[in-house]
């Protein structure tokens, strides 16, 4: 199988210096940004629309269409979302560390297309090394006259500012990111307005795109939208970065076409399951995505529509593989804990619901589960996202809360017996089998950190009454 | 009157100039305040409020939203152990337990000397090199419980001025998410991200 590499081509061919401006220019870099200066907005937006490039941040919204929404008011801003925090995802980190100029050129083209003269890159605070690399690349671009006043000798001014986040997953939601960049709490904004392209940063037209999306832009211009679209004959256009992790023999980032089955991805690309164990389940597109199981999904194609029809999503391209010895209750607890910890607290269903879900799962995992707990869990989940289906029904401003329900869908549909065994045995069957009690990381509710929301601190109640109250 | 050093004030002015509105500088200035005092104090937040021309209450509402703004005394070295899904699947909880046990510092706390703080972290984007640990947000991938214990011992003994990701990866790490990383000499000088424009980074030597 030969895959045409696009965004990882340079770093694959020149592993020692793909991050430098010298290598970038020696491999055709910044030519497309220069060319873009001579193109109209309509031409640039048209090219990206033709390419059918889908946003790579997780929502897979067509990038060209998003650009087309830009309101006429000025100034307009460009914001690149490098707040990569979806559990299982680590592709943008690689793109920033290994080929920052590729993204910067994408930003220059995007800024020109959307008439922006100030652009921000919002990089998560836990990524200091990618931030340092990006900053250095920006400085190189300034020195060469590719950024600043009159870029490439034209009369177009463009500045890029690196803005560090501070440890809030929710800032990956584009309106939360904008609030954060304005110096507010990173809480998602009420819609409408639906698109930052109409009212975004400082209530001005703003394009928000992901790092991988930006990294594709110079290539679309270089080969033309049509050629990009037809790059590989597959269900979705272009290529896609997959972050493969968990119990596979060869975890890592892989740039792939949308022609593979999950079987090929996990067994051929990933090398199969560690210690040659059996595959039990996998998360196809980040922690927000409902899980897949081998009996039903192994031969589906890794593409947007195929995932959607099967009730899940490719999302951020994060594939987390779990072997036969993985406790599904523990895995669900860990994902729900994440959403509980990262809930911004604005909406009651998410704030309260994710907290209770975490407590109930923790209780089942620790052996204090009750026979009704799975139904209780489903009931609480139903309060956050009615019907526990995909795409999730919304009760909240943003999809964070409804995403927390995804692992519960898996427990309900595929692992009901395993939950039941936890309750019947009064403990985790995997621990009882091995005779070892595994270490347990703290609950998100046990610490004294600033993220702990009022009234939720302290130990997890295992008595029946307190859980019952929460469900009523 | 500013409580900050001349260089920090200069830095603050430069940062504010990057944004169309002063309030947008609140996040980078909160990091500056941490770098100035080791963690975020009332004084630090009041200072940020003055620079950004908002109220201290507004600064607190922002600071309290984010996990990386430490409003309590924090050690010179902040050890963050990832226990999110991919790290958990490969032993992240055991690594976390080893760090807590070896340091004697439980999650969310700091030792008496003010040397070590320990916390468990949600996904730090190192899933291909799980389990992962960060010291002052500088990454180590492929950590085992034994290596985690060694890391704690090393921090106590060596007390590096600059925490460098490549050095730690070499000493305590294993499999990485992607293995063509280029060495760098920069590193963290405290429990906040090491990033040049903030002045919270130091180089160990020449390039």
């Amino acid at each position: 199988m030969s895959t045409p590499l696009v965004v990882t081509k340079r770093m694959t061919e020149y592993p020692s210096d793909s991050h430098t401006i010298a290598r970038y220019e020696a491999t055709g870099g910044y030519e497309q940004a220069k060319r873009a200066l001579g193109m109209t907005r309509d031409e640039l937006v048209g090219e990206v629309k033709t390419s059918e490039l889908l946003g790579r941040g997780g929502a897979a919204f067509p990038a060209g269409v998003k650009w087309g929404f830009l309101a006429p008011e000025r100034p307009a801003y460009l914001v690149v979302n490098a707040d990569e925090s979806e559990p299982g995802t680590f592709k943008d980190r690689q793109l920033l560390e290994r080929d920052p100029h590729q993204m910067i050129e994408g930003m220059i083209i995007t800024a020109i297309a959307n008439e922006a003269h100030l652009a921000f890159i919002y990089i998560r605070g836990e990524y200091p090394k990618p931030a340092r690399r990006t900053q250095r690349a920006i400085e190189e671009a300034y020195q060469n006259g590719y950024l600043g006043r009159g870029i490439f000798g034209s009369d177009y001014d463009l500045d890029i500012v690196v803005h560090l986040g501070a440890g809030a997953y929710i800032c990956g939601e584009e309106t939360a990111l904008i609030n954060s960049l304005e110096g507010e709490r990173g809480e998602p904004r009420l819609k409408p307005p639906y698109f930052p392209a109409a009212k975004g940063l400082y209530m001005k037209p703003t394009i928000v795109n992901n790092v991988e999306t930006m990294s594709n832009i110079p290539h679309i211009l270089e080969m033309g939208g049509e050629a990009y679209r037809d790059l590989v004959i597959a269900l979705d256009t272009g290529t896609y970065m997959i972050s493969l992790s968990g119990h596979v023999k060869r975890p890592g980032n892989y740039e792939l076409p949308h022609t593979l089955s999950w079987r090929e991805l996990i067994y051929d690309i990933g090398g199969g399951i560690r210690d040659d164990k059996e595959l039990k389940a996998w998360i196809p597109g980040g922690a927000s995505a409902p899980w897949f199981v081998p009996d039903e999904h192994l031969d589906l194609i890794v593409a947007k529509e195929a995932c959607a029809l099967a009730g899940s999503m490719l999302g951020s391209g994060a594939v987390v593989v779990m072997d036969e010895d993985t406790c599904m209750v523990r895995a669900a607890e860990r994902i729900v804990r994440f959403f509980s910890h990262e809930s911004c607290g604005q909406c009651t269903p998410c704030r309260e619901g994710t907290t209770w879900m975490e407590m109930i799962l923790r209780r089942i995992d620790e052996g204090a589960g009750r026979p009704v707990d799975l139904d209780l869990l489903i009931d609480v989940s139903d309060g956050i996202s009615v019907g526990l289906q995909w795409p999730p029904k919304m009760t909240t401003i943003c999809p964070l809360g409804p995403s927390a329900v995804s692992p519960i869908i898996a427990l309900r549909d595929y692992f009901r017996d395993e939950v039941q065994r936890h309750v019947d045995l009064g403990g985790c069957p995997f621990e009882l089998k091995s005779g070892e009690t595994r270490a347990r990381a703290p609950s998100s509710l046990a610490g004294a950190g600033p993220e702990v929301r009022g009234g939720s601190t302290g130990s997890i109640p295992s008595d029946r009454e307190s859980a019952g109250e929460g469900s009523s | 009157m500013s409580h900050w050093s001349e260089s920090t004030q200069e830095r603050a002015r430069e940062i504010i100039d990057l944004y169309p509105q002063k309030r947008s500088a609140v996040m980078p200035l909160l990091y500056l305040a941490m770098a100035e005092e080791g963690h975020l104090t009332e004084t630090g937040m009041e200072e940020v409020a003055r620079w950004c021309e908002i109220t201290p209450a507004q600064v607190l509402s922002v600071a309290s939203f984010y996990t990386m703004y430490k409003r309590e005394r924090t050690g010179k070295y902040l050890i963050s152990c990832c226990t999110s899904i991919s790290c958990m699947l490969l032993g992240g909880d055991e690594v976390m337990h080893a760090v807590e046990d070896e340091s004697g510092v439980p999650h969310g706390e700091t030792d008496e000397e003010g040397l070590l703080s320990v916390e468990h972290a949600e996904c730090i984007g190192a899933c291909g090199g799980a389990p992962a640990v960060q010291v002052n947000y500088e990454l180590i991938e492929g950590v085992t419980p034994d290596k985690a214990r060694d890391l704690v011992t090393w921090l106590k003994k060596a007390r590096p001025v600059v925490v460098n990701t490549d050095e730690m990866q070499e000493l305590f790490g294993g499999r990485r998410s992607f293995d063509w990383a280029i060495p760098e000499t920069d590193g963290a000088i405290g429990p906040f991200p090491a990033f040049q424009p903030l002045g919270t980074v130091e180089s160990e030597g020449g390039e």
Side-chain angles (χ1 to χ4, degrees), chain A residues 355-376:
Chain A
T355 304
W356 278 105
M357 286 164 71
E358 184 190 342
M359 288 196 282
I360 297 164
L361 281 167
R362 188 93 179 176
R363 176 168 74 203
I364 299 170
D365 182 32
E366 289 177 343
R370 307 172 305 160
V372 299
D373 270 351
L374 181 57
D375 289 328
L376 179 60

Side-chain angles (χ1 to χ4, degrees), chain A residues 206-385:
Chain A
T206 304
I207 297 295
V208 185
N209 278 145
N210 159 268
V211 171
E212 187 186 341
T213 312
M214 281 296 98
S215 302
N216 272 286
I217 297 295
H219 302 283
I220 289 171
L221 232 58
E222 188 185 356
M223 64 179 87
E226 216 163 302
Y228 181 89
R229 187 192 61 204
D230 300 335
L231 194 60
V232 273
I233 305 302
L235 293 184
D236 296 335
T237 65
T239 59
Y240 204 102
M241 293 273 286
I242 292 280
S243 298
L244 192 57
S245 69
H247 295 133
V248 282
K249 288 180 183 165
R250 290 195 296 269
N253 284 322
Y254 298 96
E255 185 176 356
L256 300 167
H258 297 85
T259 55
L260 299 180
S261 68
W262 290 101
R263 186 188 301 277
E264 289 168 312
L265 176 66
I266 293 168
Y267 287 94
D268 298 343
I269 307 284
I273 311 301
R274 285 189 189 189
D275 305 323
D276 294 318
K277 287 184 184 171
E278 293 294 320
L279 171 64
K280 186 168 186 178
W282 71 97
I283 307 172
S288 301
W291 305 355
F292 279 168
V293 291
D295 283 352
E296 290 186 27
H297 305 113
L298 204 51
D299 292 306
L300 297 179
I301 301 297
V302 184
K304 183 183 171 181
E305 279 306 308
C307 280
L309 288 171
S312 191
M313 66 166 180
L314 265 192
S316 59
V319 179
V320 182
V321 175
M322 298 180 263
D323 72 16
E324 58 186 305
D325 291 331
T326 309
C327 170
M328 294 290 109
V329 172
R330 174 79 72 100
E333 179 264 341
R334 206 45 61 97
I335 286 173
V336 168
R337 187 194 74 182
F338 174 79
F339 289 110
S340 163
H341 180 267
E342 301 296 341
S343 172
C344 82
Q346 280 191 107
C347 309
T348 310
C350 172
R351 181 186 63 240
E352 303 298 321
T354 55
T355 304
W356 278 105
M357 286 164 71
E358 184 190 342
M359 288 196 282
I360 297 164
L361 281 167
R362 188 93 179 176
R363 176 168 74 203
I364 299 170
D365 182 32
E366 289 177 343
R370 307 172 305 160
V372 299
D373 270 351
L374 181 57
D375 289 328
L376 179 60
L377 206 50
I378 292 168
D379 190 41
V380 174
S381 302
D382 191 69
I384 309 177
S385 183

Side-chain angles (χ1 to χ4, degrees), chain B residues 144-166:
Chain B
T144 62
D146 284 346
K147 286 289 185 186
R149 288 180 187 276
D150 293 347
L151 169 68
V152 171
T153 310
W154 177 75
L155 286 171
K156 281 182 177 169
K157 274 197 186 145
R159 303 189 174 216
V161 176
V162 180
V163 175
N164 177 271
T165 188
D166 295 306

Side-chain angles (χ1 to χ4, degrees), chain A residues 75-324:
Chain A
Y77 297 105
L78 167 64
V79 179
V80 172
N81 187 343
D83 194 44
E84 176 171 77
S85 315
E86 179 81 19
T89 319
F90 50 100
K91 66 188 176 67
D92 294 341
R93 182 161 73 87
Q94 183 165 344
L95 291 171
L96 292 171
E97 284 189 24
R98 312 300 305 137
D99 203 340
H101 287 286
Q102 175 175 257
M103 182 205 57
I104 292 166
E105 184 173 14
M107 287 182 74
I108 296 173
I109 297 165
T110 307
I112 294 167
N114 294 286
E115 298 166 1
H117 298 281
L118 180 56
F120 295 93
I121 311 175
Y122 189 109
I123 303 182
R124 67 178 300 194
E126 297 91 335
Y127 276 10
K129 182 168 181 173
R132 290 195 292 268
R133 286 239 174 268
T134 305
Q135 179 68 28
R136 261 184 222 153
I138 288 170
E139 283 161 12
E140 286 178 312
Y142 268 102
Q143 280 159 14
N144 285 19
Y146 305 162
L147 288 173
R149 286 185 162 269
I151 61 172
F152 301 101
S154 72
D155 58 359
Y156 198 96
D157 301 339
L158 177 61
D159 288 300
I160 298 184
V161 175
V162 175
H163 185 95
L164 282 197
Y169 163 74
I170 192 57
C171 291
E173 198 275 350
E174 60 185 6
T175 61
L177 187 153
I178 287 168
N179 272 343
S180 180
L181 198 47
E182 288 185 3
E184 306 273 354
R185 290 163 72 86
E187 292 167 345
R189 290 178 177 175
L190 264 174
K191 285 91 180 165
Y194 290 99
F195 293 100
K199 289 197 182 301
L201 186 61
Y202 312 121
M203 294 310 269
K204 301 293 183 200
T206 304
I207 297 295
V208 185
N209 278 145
N210 159 268
V211 171
E212 187 186 341
T213 312
M214 281 296 98
S215 302
N216 272 286
I217 297 295
H219 302 283
I220 289 171
L221 232 58
E222 188 185 356
M223 64 179 87
E226 216 163 302
Y228 181 89
R229 187 192 61 204
D230 300 335
L231 194 60
V232 273
I233 305 302
L235 293 184
D236 296 335
T237 65
T239 59
Y240 204 102
M241 293 273 286
I242 292 280
S243 298
L244 192 57
S245 69
H247 295 133
V248 282
K249 288 180 183 165
R250 290 195 296 269
N253 284 322
Y254 298 96
E255 185 176 356
L256 300 167
H258 297 85
T259 55
L260 299 180
S261 68
W262 290 101
R263 186 188 301 277
E264 289 168 312
L265 176 66
I266 293 168
Y267 287 94
D268 298 343
I269 307 284
I273 311 301
R274 285 189 189 189
D275 305 323
D276 294 318
K277 287 184 184 171
E278 293 294 320
L279 171 64
K280 186 168 186 178
W282 71 97
I283 307 172
S288 301
W291 305 355
F292 279 168
V293 291
D295 283 352
E296 290 186 27
H297 305 113
L298 204 51
D299 292 306
L300 297 179
I301 301 297
V302 184
K304 183 183 171 181
E305 279 306 308
C307 280
L309 288 171
S312 191
M313 66 166 180
L314 265 192
S316 59
V319 179
V320 182
V321 175
M322 298 180 263
D323 72 16
E324 58 186 305

